[in-house]
Amino acid sequence: MDENRTAAALAGNPNVGKSTIFNGLTGLHQHTGNWSGKTVSTARGTFEEGGKEYLLVDLPGTYSLSARSPEEEVARDFLSSGIPRIIIAVCDATCLERGLHLLKQIIGLDRVREQGTPVILCVNLWDEAQKKGIEIDFSLLEDVLQIPVVPVCARRTEDLNVLKQTVARTDGRRCSYDCLDFSPKELAGEAVTYTRSGFRKREEFLDRLTTGRVTGTLIMVALLFGAFWLSMAGANYPSRLLWDLLFSPEEQLAAGLSALGAPSRVTDCLVYGVYRVLAWVISVMLPPMAIFFPLFTLLEDLGYLPRAAFNMDRAFQRCRACGKQCLTMAMGLGCNAAGVVGCRIIDSPRERLVAILTNSFVPCNGRLPTLFTMISLFFLLSGAADSSLASAAMLTAVIILGVAMTLAASWILSHTLLRGVPSAFTLELPPYRRPQIGRILVRSVLDRTLFVLGRAAAVAAPAGLIIWLLANLSYAGPEGGWLVFSGAGPETPSLLSLFTEALDPLGRFMGLDGVILGAFILGFPANEIVLPIILMAYLQTGTLVEMEHTAGLAALLASQGWTAVTPVCLMIFCLFHWPCSTTCLTIRKETGSLKWTAAAVLLPTVTGVLLCASVNGLAVLLHYLNP
């Protein structure tokens, strides 16, 4: 270790704001949220104070140093290693006793006592405690503990500067804890006074509502419905604006390439292939995602998500899975790749793998436009008073089906490939907090929306090239040079037509057709392009197209032989099919195994094929019985 750099450890219970303090001290952007388990590995950064540089290590949250999970082992082992020369123990001002229990264990570590490692008690969320009428006698805490005690609001720069100065003052000191022995419960009782009564009763009342067997379920469904309704109703206008903005320069781009001497085929490929697919993905994907992710972050910041996990825990326990899987499912609604990464918060490797393999049973943001279009075209009464409300209600029912299948698949995996007994876990219900609207908007846009959009765009561009080539190349045989550019038609079918014709028997068996099945395969890079590929194949245009009116789209689909069963099977397969390429790459990275990546692809796909075939078979049987 460089003599000019001192290692400092940031330790504490889950959900006490360690990551926020870490970000404020180091200037980095460790993701934060109002629920336990956000930090699932150590994060490192540096800050300077008093002419010295400090290496700050943000350890995973732990309730005890008697480690029961890999993350808690990381925290215990690092604190016991002798590497940190300063330990900052962070506790929640609204629940001081719990933090004092961990502080006593830290001070009791053999290496800490032998080296006399200075420990600083950082009492975070002091502003929240004051709002709730909680007063803390910090002088009493310092007298009893004989260590520096710093009250902090992690969002205030001046408080963090005081913490930095305290770190610099204690650096190099040797502390003696040999005679230190205190009762966390008694010390908290003496140091904490309540000047306002009733706030705990209000929180207990809210918890009874949000975690009750009946009310908790109703609130979860209502919040899910509200998030979808706001995402759908609010995305229409900005999506149209983006569409006009991105597609308006197409002709100018084509003219510019032609002026530069680019061949017409190259111009068509780049502009009407690559660029058009990219513009389609952005205009369809960005608006609802830019609405949904802030809503999700808002629920996270309020502290609701752990309560949703608490509600779902009983169901997942019966499936021998973990209640925290509910949190990863919720993340999957925005992006399955993000949901897979979020599975790191699950301690048990077996349960983490169950959550990864079943995450794509809940549709991501890329599948929602297709589901919404099918609902709007075929399942809503014409002239409905508010189609967005009805659409959101039906989409909520579809999501609930996905959750039910997630539970079923988890049960099957836990009794077959991934047998095991569900592990116990401690899930804290964090205090309700006033959300930080500005931070929610900034972090949800930068950390989630633009990140996911960038990954989708990266795979959509090459997908546009492949789709354009398939739609514009025809098979001419050995005499004609094998592949030629030509207008698609009955005499010279495009490769896309040949591809969809080969898939038609399987598609018909599933209640679909070859075009729909081929669109899902070609939509592997990004689910947003499935519906436009279907339209392109039906119209034989060679480029992606948009139908301006739903009536025209419905008439086109009916002319292609769609029956009442087709949209039902399409929605089922949209809900249950292989994950997109980004999610598959993420699964491969998280599991480190091609075998489990293949299992994550096959599990939802087999489910979707069987369900579609069953629905189609039932429809054929009913038609036979009632011709």
Side-chain angles (χ1 to χ4, degrees), residues 507-546:
R508 299 292 178 183
F509 171 74
M510 297 168 55
L512 307 171
D513 60 25
V515 169
I516 298 173
L517 198 55
F520 276 105
I521 294 174
L522 294 175
F524 174 68
N527 287 304
E528 293 78 10
I529 60 178
V530 169
L531 189 58
I533 293 174
I534 293 175
L535 298 181
M536 180 179 67
Y538 282 152
L539 294 173
Q540 294 293 297
T541 58
T543 59
L544 292 181
V545 296
E546 181 195 32

Short mmCIF file of all heavy atoms in Angstrom, two decimals, residues 507-546:
data_model
loop_
_atom_site.label_atom_id
_atom_site.label_comp_id
_atom_site.label_asym_id
_atom_site.label_seq_id
_atom_site.Cartn_x
_atom_site.Cartn_y
_atom_site.Cartn_z
N GLY A 507 -45.12 -22.79 -37.37
CA GLY A 507 -45.94 -21.65 -36.96
C GLY A 507 -47.42 -21.99 -36.93
O GLY A 507 -48.13 -21.62 -35.98
N ARG A 508 -47.91 -22.73 -37.93
CA ARG A 508 -49.33 -23.11 -37.96
C ARG A 508 -49.66 -24.04 -36.80
O ARG A 508 -50.74 -23.97 -36.22
CB ARG A 508 -49.65 -23.79 -39.29
CG ARG A 508 -49.44 -22.93 -40.52
CD ARG A 508 -50.43 -21.79 -40.59
NE ARG A 508 -50.18 -20.94 -41.74
CZ ARG A 508 -50.87 -19.83 -42.02
NH1 ARG A 508 -51.83 -19.45 -41.19
NH2 ARG A 508 -50.57 -19.11 -43.09
N PHE A 509 -48.72 -24.91 -36.47
CA PHE A 509 -48.93 -25.81 -35.33
C PHE A 509 -49.10 -25.03 -34.04
O PHE A 509 -49.85 -25.44 -33.14
CB PHE A 509 -47.74 -26.77 -35.22
CG PHE A 509 -47.73 -27.60 -33.97
CD1 PHE A 509 -48.61 -28.67 -33.82
CD2 PHE A 509 -46.84 -27.32 -32.95
CE1 PHE A 509 -48.61 -29.44 -32.67
CE2 PHE A 509 -46.82 -28.09 -31.79
CZ PHE A 509 -47.71 -29.15 -31.65
N MET A 510 -48.44 -23.87 -33.94
CA MET A 510 -48.51 -23.05 -32.74
C MET A 510 -49.61 -22.00 -32.80
O MET A 510 -49.72 -21.16 -31.91
CB MET A 510 -47.16 -22.34 -32.52
CG MET A 510 -46.00 -23.27 -32.27
SD MET A 510 -44.40 -22.42 -32.36
CE MET A 510 -44.63 -21.09 -31.17
N GLY A 511 -50.43 -22.02 -33.86
CA GLY A 511 -51.48 -21.01 -33.98
C GLY A 511 -50.97 -19.71 -34.56
O GLY A 511 -51.68 -18.69 -34.51
N LEU A 512 -49.78 -19.72 -35.11
CA LEU A 512 -49.19 -18.52 -35.72
C LEU A 512 -49.01 -18.78 -37.21
O LEU A 512 -49.83 -19.43 -37.82
CB LEU A 512 -47.83 -18.22 -35.04
CG LEU A 512 -47.84 -18.11 -33.51
CD1 LEU A 512 -46.41 -18.02 -32.98
CD2 LEU A 512 -48.65 -16.92 -33.05
N ASP A 513 -47.98 -18.24 -37.81
CA ASP A 513 -47.59 -18.60 -39.17
C ASP A 513 -46.08 -18.40 -39.28
O ASP A 513 -45.42 -17.97 -38.33
CB ASP A 513 -48.36 -17.79 -40.22
CG ASP A 513 -48.15 -16.29 -40.09
OD1 ASP A 513 -47.11 -15.87 -39.56
OD2 ASP A 513 -49.04 -15.53 -40.53
N GLY A 514 -45.53 -18.72 -40.44
CA GLY A 514 -44.09 -18.62 -40.61
C GLY A 514 -43.54 -17.22 -40.50
O GLY A 514 -42.43 -17.01 -40.02
N VAL A 515 -44.35 -16.23 -40.93
CA VAL A 515 -43.91 -14.83 -40.85
C VAL A 515 -43.73 -14.41 -39.41
O VAL A 515 -42.73 -13.80 -39.02
CB VAL A 515 -44.91 -13.92 -41.57
CG1 VAL A 515 -44.63 -12.45 -41.26
CG2 VAL A 515 -44.84 -14.15 -43.08
N ILE A 516 -44.72 -14.74 -38.56
CA ILE A 516 -44.65 -14.34 -37.15
C ILE A 516 -43.48 -15.02 -36.47
O ILE A 516 -42.70 -14.38 -35.74
CB ILE A 516 -45.97 -14.69 -36.44
CG1 ILE A 516 -47.13 -13.92 -37.08
CG2 ILE A 516 -45.88 -14.36 -34.96
CD1 ILE A 516 -48.49 -14.34 -36.56
N LEU A 517 -43.33 -16.33 -36.71
CA LEU A 517 -42.24 -17.07 -36.08
C LEU A 517 -40.88 -16.55 -36.56
O LEU A 517 -39.95 -16.39 -35.78
CB LEU A 517 -42.39 -18.56 -36.37
CG LEU A 517 -41.62 -19.53 -35.47
CD1 LEU A 517 -41.95 -19.30 -34.01
CD2 LEU A 517 -41.92 -20.97 -35.88
N GLY A 518 -40.79 -16.27 -37.87
CA GLY A 518 -39.54 -15.73 -38.41
C GLY A 518 -39.22 -14.35 -37.84
O GLY A 518 -38.06 -14.01 -37.61
N ALA A 519 -40.26 -13.53 -37.60
CA ALA A 519 -40.04 -12.20 -37.03
C ALA A 519 -39.48 -12.30 -35.62
O ALA A 519 -38.61 -11.51 -35.23
CB ALA A 519 -41.36 -11.42 -37.03
N PHE A 520 -39.95 -13.27 -34.84
CA PHE A 520 -39.41 -13.44 -33.49
C PHE A 520 -37.94 -13.88 -33.55
O PHE A 520 -37.12 -13.44 -32.73
CB PHE A 520 -40.23 -14.47 -32.71
CG PHE A 520 -41.45 -13.90 -32.06
CD1 PHE A 520 -42.71 -14.13 -32.58
CD2 PHE A 520 -41.33 -13.11 -30.92
CE1 PHE A 520 -43.84 -13.61 -31.97
CE2 PHE A 520 -42.46 -12.57 -30.31
CZ PHE A 520 -43.71 -12.82 -30.83
N ILE A 521 -37.61 -14.72 -34.51
CA ILE A 521 -36.21 -15.16 -34.64
C ILE A 521 -35.32 -14.00 -35.07
O ILE A 521 -34.26 -13.77 -34.49
CB ILE A 521 -36.11 -16.32 -35.65
CG1 ILE A 521 -36.84 -17.56 -35.10
CG2 ILE A 521 -34.65 -16.66 -35.94
CD1 ILE A 521 -36.92 -18.71 -36.09
N LEU A 522 -35.77 -13.25 -36.07
CA LEU A 522 -34.99 -12.10 -36.53
C LEU A 522 -34.99 -10.97 -35.51
O LEU A 522 -34.10 -10.10 -35.54
CB LEU A 522 -35.54 -11.60 -37.87
CG LEU A 522 -35.40 -12.57 -39.05
CD1 LEU A 522 -36.09 -12.01 -40.28
CD2 LEU A 522 -33.93 -12.85 -39.34
N GLY A 523 -35.96 -10.96 -34.62
CA GLY A 523 -36.02 -9.95 -33.57
C GLY A 523 -35.18 -10.30 -32.36
O GLY A 523 -35.27 -9.61 -31.34
N PHE A 524 -34.37 -11.34 -32.46
CA PHE A 524 -33.51 -11.75 -31.34
C PHE A 524 -32.60 -10.62 -30.85
O PHE A 524 -32.41 -10.46 -29.64
CB PHE A 524 -32.68 -12.97 -31.77
CG PHE A 524 -31.65 -13.39 -30.76
CD1 PHE A 524 -32.02 -13.92 -29.53
CD2 PHE A 524 -30.30 -13.26 -31.04
CE1 PHE A 524 -31.06 -14.31 -28.60
CE2 PHE A 524 -29.33 -13.65 -30.13
CZ PHE A 524 -29.72 -14.17 -28.90
N PRO A 525 -32.05 -9.78 -31.74
CA PRO A 525 -31.22 -8.68 -31.23
C PRO A 525 -32.00 -7.67 -30.40
O PRO A 525 -31.47 -7.10 -29.46
CB PRO A 525 -30.67 -8.02 -32.51
CG PRO A 525 -30.76 -9.08 -33.55
CD PRO A 525 -31.99 -9.86 -33.22
N ALA A 526 -33.26 -7.41 -30.74
CA ALA A 526 -34.07 -6.42 -30.01
C ALA A 526 -35.54 -6.74 -30.24
O ALA A 526 -36.00 -6.76 -31.38
CB ALA A 526 -33.75 -5.00 -30.47
N ASN A 527 -36.28 -6.97 -29.17
CA ASN A 527 -37.69 -7.35 -29.30
C ASN A 527 -38.56 -6.26 -29.92
O ASN A 527 -39.66 -6.55 -30.40
CB ASN A 527 -38.24 -7.70 -27.91
CG ASN A 527 -37.73 -9.02 -27.39
OD1 ASN A 527 -37.88 -10.06 -28.04
ND2 ASN A 527 -37.08 -9.00 -26.24
N GLU A 528 -38.08 -5.03 -29.92
CA GLU A 528 -38.87 -3.93 -30.46
C GLU A 528 -39.15 -4.07 -31.96
O GLU A 528 -40.09 -3.47 -32.48
CB GLU A 528 -38.16 -2.58 -30.22
CG GLU A 528 -38.07 -2.17 -28.77
CD GLU A 528 -36.97 -2.91 -28.02
OE1 GLU A 528 -36.15 -3.60 -28.67
OE2 GLU A 528 -36.93 -2.82 -26.79
N ILE A 529 -38.32 -4.82 -32.68
CA ILE A 529 -38.45 -4.86 -34.14
C ILE A 529 -39.28 -6.05 -34.63
O ILE A 529 -39.40 -6.26 -35.83
CB ILE A 529 -37.06 -4.88 -34.81
CG1 ILE A 529 -36.25 -6.12 -34.37
CG2 ILE A 529 -36.29 -3.61 -34.49
CD1 ILE A 529 -34.89 -6.22 -35.02
N VAL A 530 -39.88 -6.83 -33.70
CA VAL A 530 -40.66 -8.00 -34.12
C VAL A 530 -41.86 -7.57 -34.96
O VAL A 530 -42.08 -8.09 -36.07
CB VAL A 530 -41.12 -8.81 -32.89
CG1 VAL A 530 -42.15 -9.86 -33.31
CG2 VAL A 530 -39.93 -9.48 -32.23
N LEU A 531 -42.66 -6.66 -34.46
CA LEU A 531 -43.87 -6.25 -35.18
C LEU A 531 -43.55 -5.59 -36.53
O LEU A 531 -44.19 -5.91 -37.54
CB LEU A 531 -44.71 -5.32 -34.31
CG LEU A 531 -46.09 -4.97 -34.85
CD1 LEU A 531 -46.92 -6.23 -35.10
CD2 LEU A 531 -46.84 -4.04 -33.89
N PRO A 532 -42.58 -4.67 -36.60
CA PRO A 532 -42.26 -4.11 -37.92
C PRO A 532 -41.74 -5.14 -38.92
O PRO A 532 -41.98 -5.02 -40.12
CB PRO A 532 -41.18 -3.05 -37.62
CG PRO A 532 -40.77 -3.26 -36.23
CD PRO A 532 -41.89 -3.92 -35.53
N ILE A 533 -41.04 -6.18 -38.46
CA ILE A 533 -40.60 -7.23 -39.38
C ILE A 533 -41.80 -7.99 -39.93
O ILE A 533 -41.85 -8.34 -41.12
CB ILE A 533 -39.63 -8.20 -38.67
CG1 ILE A 533 -38.33 -7.50 -38.32
CG2 ILE A 533 -39.32 -9.40 -39.57
CD1 ILE A 533 -37.38 -8.35 -37.50
N ILE A 534 -42.80 -8.23 -39.09
CA ILE A 534 -44.03 -8.88 -39.55
C ILE A 534 -44.68 -8.07 -40.66
O ILE A 534 -45.07 -8.61 -41.70
CB ILE A 534 -45.01 -9.07 -38.37
CG1 ILE A 534 -44.44 -10.08 -37.36
CG2 ILE A 534 -46.37 -9.53 -38.86
CD1 ILE A 534 -45.27 -10.23 -36.11
N LEU A 535 -44.77 -6.77 -40.46
CA LEU A 535 -45.38 -5.90 -41.48
C LEU A 535 -44.56 -5.91 -42.76
O LEU A 535 -45.11 -5.97 -43.87
CB LEU A 535 -45.51 -4.48 -40.94
CG LEU A 535 -46.40 -4.28 -39.71
CD1 LEU A 535 -46.44 -2.82 -39.32
CD2 LEU A 535 -47.81 -4.78 -39.97
N MET A 536 -43.24 -5.84 -42.62
CA MET A 536 -42.38 -5.83 -43.80
C MET A 536 -42.53 -7.11 -44.60
O MET A 536 -42.59 -7.09 -45.83
CB MET A 536 -40.93 -5.64 -43.36
CG MET A 536 -39.91 -5.60 -44.51
SD MET A 536 -38.22 -5.34 -43.91
CE MET A 536 -37.95 -6.89 -43.05
N ALA A 537 -42.61 -8.24 -43.90
CA ALA A 537 -42.74 -9.51 -44.60
C ALA A 537 -44.10 -9.64 -45.28
O ALA A 537 -44.20 -10.15 -46.40
CB ALA A 537 -42.54 -10.66 -43.62
N TYR A 538 -45.17 -9.18 -44.63
CA TYR A 538 -46.50 -9.26 -45.22
C TYR A 538 -46.62 -8.35 -46.45
O TYR A 538 -47.21 -8.72 -47.47
CB TYR A 538 -47.56 -8.87 -44.21
CG TYR A 538 -47.89 -9.95 -43.20
CD1 TYR A 538 -48.35 -9.63 -41.94
CD2 TYR A 538 -47.75 -11.30 -43.52
CE1 TYR A 538 -48.65 -10.62 -41.01
CE2 TYR A 538 -48.04 -12.30 -42.60
CZ TYR A 538 -48.51 -11.95 -41.35
OH TYR A 538 -48.80 -12.93 -40.43
N LEU A 539 -46.05 -7.14 -46.35
CA LEU A 539 -46.19 -6.18 -47.44
C LEU A 539 -45.15 -6.37 -48.53
O LEU A 539 -45.27 -5.80 -49.62
CB LEU A 539 -46.08 -4.76 -46.89
CG LEU A 539 -47.23 -4.33 -45.95
CD1 LEU A 539 -46.92 -2.98 -45.33
CD2 LEU A 539 -48.54 -4.27 -46.72
N GLN A 540 -44.10 -7.15 -48.22
CA GLN A 540 -43.02 -7.39 -49.19
C GLN A 540 -42.43 -6.08 -49.68
O GLN A 540 -42.17 -5.89 -50.88
CB GLN A 540 -43.54 -8.22 -50.37
CG GLN A 540 -43.94 -9.64 -50.02
CD GLN A 540 -42.76 -10.49 -49.61
OE1 GLN A 540 -41.85 -10.72 -50.41
NE2 GLN A 540 -42.75 -10.96 -48.39
N THR A 541 -42.20 -5.15 -48.75
CA THR A 541 -41.67 -3.84 -49.14
C THR A 541 -40.15 -3.80 -49.19
O THR A 541 -39.57 -2.92 -49.80
CB THR A 541 -42.13 -2.76 -48.15
OG1 THR A 541 -41.69 -3.13 -46.84
CG2 THR A 541 -43.64 -2.64 -48.15
N GLY A 542 -39.50 -4.72 -48.46
CA GLY A 542 -38.04 -4.71 -48.42
C GLY A 542 -37.48 -3.79 -47.37
O GLY A 542 -36.28 -3.78 -47.14
N THR A 543 -38.32 -2.96 -46.75
CA THR A 543 -37.89 -2.09 -45.66
C THR A 543 -38.95 -2.10 -44.58
O THR A 543 -40.10 -2.48 -44.81
CB THR A 543 -37.69 -0.63 -46.14
OG1 THR A 543 -38.92 -0.14 -46.67
CG2 THR A 543 -36.61 -0.54 -47.20
N LEU A 544 -38.54 -1.65 -43.41
CA LEU A 544 -39.51 -1.54 -42.32
C LEU A 544 -40.53 -0.46 -42.63
O LEU A 544 -40.20 0.58 -43.19
CB LEU A 544 -38.79 -1.19 -41.01
CG LEU A 544 -37.88 -2.26 -40.41
CD1 LEU A 544 -37.29 -1.75 -39.11
CD2 LEU A 544 -38.64 -3.55 -40.16
N VAL A 545 -41.78 -0.71 -42.27
CA VAL A 545 -42.84 0.24 -42.55
C VAL A 545 -43.64 0.47 -41.28
O VAL A 545 -43.56 -0.27 -40.33
CB VAL A 545 -43.79 -0.27 -43.66
CG1 VAL A 545 -43.05 -0.40 -44.97
CG2 VAL A 545 -44.41 -1.60 -43.26
N GLU A 546 -44.45 1.53 -41.30
CA GLU A 546 -45.37 1.79 -40.21
C GLU A 546 -46.75 2.00 -40.78
O GLU A 546 -46.93 2.70 -41.78
CB GLU A 546 -44.96 3.04 -39.43
CG GLU A 546 -45.89 3.31 -38.26
CD GLU A 546 -45.73 4.72 -37.71
OE1 GLU A 546 -45.41 5.61 -38.50
OE2 GLU A 546 -45.95 4.91 -36.51
#
